[in-house]
Amino acid sequence: MTQGTNHPYMCNGTECIGYLALPDGDGPAPGILVSPAFMGLSDTERAACDRLAAQGYVALGVDYYSGGTLAKDREEAASLMAEMQNNRPLLAERMQGALAELAAQPRTKGQKLGAMGYCFGGKSVLDLARIGAEFAAGVSLHGVYDAPPSGSQRMHPALLILHGWDDPLCPPDATVALAAEMTEHCDDWQILSFGATGHAFTNPKAAPGNGFGYSEKAAKRSWRALSDFFEDELRS
């Protein structure tokens, strides 16, 4: 499988250290951002970038904490995430910076761009759409749905929400609220919910219990769904 490399880039004067994976060949290709879960950019998201590159996309792993920060444990990750949660404009700014870096890659010139994210990264993809950023397709995998205090602008991308129905971080009322928000602001959206599935269903390290845990079925089905979605939205 294609192997990417660490990729420093600047966002409003702050250095971020992403991960860039390129498809075989040297021709043009659509681009996809991969925004990480709350631990920060890890081997899990790097593997997703490599997987997307093998499917023919330029994939950039996002460093929204900056400096290549990767939490050493869940306690540190929760603290880092809380800081970003309390500064949603900064989160959107970091996502805009990553999108600009993806657009600046030689092979994505003139090509459509997408974004996908896990957990807090799913929220970051939604926030990128909420500020009116221009990209073609966005995917949230077991994301978190609360809108920022600033609300939402017109959402330009088609959106696919991949959701574990038993996720305690996004109970049914939160999912319905997101649907209402997208109905108002987005012309093309869909929610695919997996029954008997909780938060972090794509993460093999997520222990089951209390509405969390890995689901092999949901992980396979969600990857198949997002692959078809990006094929439709980025290559048509």
Side-chain angles (χ1 to χ4, degrees):
M1 183 178 288
T2 301
Q3 294 291 314
T5 58
N6 287 339
H7 183 80
Y9 62 96
M10 299 301 293
C11 178
N12 286 348
T14 298
E15 184 181 52
C16 300
I17 303 175
Y19 179 84
L20 184 67
L22 301 174
D24 291 339
D26 56 7
I32 300 175
L33 294 178
V34 178
S35 191
F38 77 137
M39 297 291 289
L41 186 59
S42 72
D43 287 345
T44 298
E45 291 82 22
R46 292 185 182 93
C49 289
D50 291 340
R51 197 173 178 184
L52 289 168
Q55 293 179 351
Y57 299 100
V58 174
L60 177 63
V62 178
D63 176 22
Y64 51 62
Y65 290 142
S66 78
T69 299
L70 179 64
K72 64 180 183 295
D73 54 35
R74 293 180 64 85
E75 183 178 358
E76 182 182 9
S79 177
L80 290 167
M81 182 178 66
E83 290 180 17
M84 197 66 77
Q85 172 68 18
N86 291 330
N87 193 348
R88 297 286 282 276
L90 179 60
L91 178 62
E93 178 184 289
R94 294 280 167 81
M95 291 300 293
Q96 280 185 300
L99 185 64
E101 182 66 17
L102 181 63
Q105 298 308 301
R107 294 182 64 180
T108 62
K109 185 176 181 180
Q111 300 295 302
K112 293 181 179 180
L113 304 179
M116 59 178 278
Y118 300 93
C119 183
F120 192 68
K123 174 180 285 188
S124 75
V125 170
L126 290 172
D127 277 10
L128 185 62
R130 285 164 168 146
I131 62 170
E134 295 281 355
F135 61 111
V139 178
S140 167
L141 296 107
H142 43 83
V144 186
Y145 305 147
D146 57 296
S150 58
S152 297
Q153 300 181 31
R154 190 71 186 161
M155 298 179 182
H156 297 288
L159 293 174
L160 170 62
I161 311 301
L162 298 169
H163 174 68
W165 189 251
D166 295 337
D167 189 337
L169 302 185
C170 293
D173 59 346
T175 307
V176 171
L178 176 63
E181 179 189 0
M182 292 189 296
T183 295
E184 181 176 357
H185 297 288
C186 180
D187 291 334
D188 185 356
W189 63 269
Q190 54 189 302
I191 297 175
L192 176 57
S193 292
F194 303 106
T197 304
H199 191 71
F201 60 79
T202 65
N203 183 358
K205 297 179 181 179
N210 299 317
F212 289 72
Y214 175 65
S215 166
E216 183 178 4
K217 281 186 177 180
K220 288 180 177 179
R221 290 170 178 172
S222 62
W223 188 267
R224 186 164 56 243
L226 73 84
S227 295
D228 289 344
F229 178 72
F230 282 137
E231 179 72 22
D232 290 345
E233 300 299 332
L234 301 184
R235 297 190 189 279
S236 61

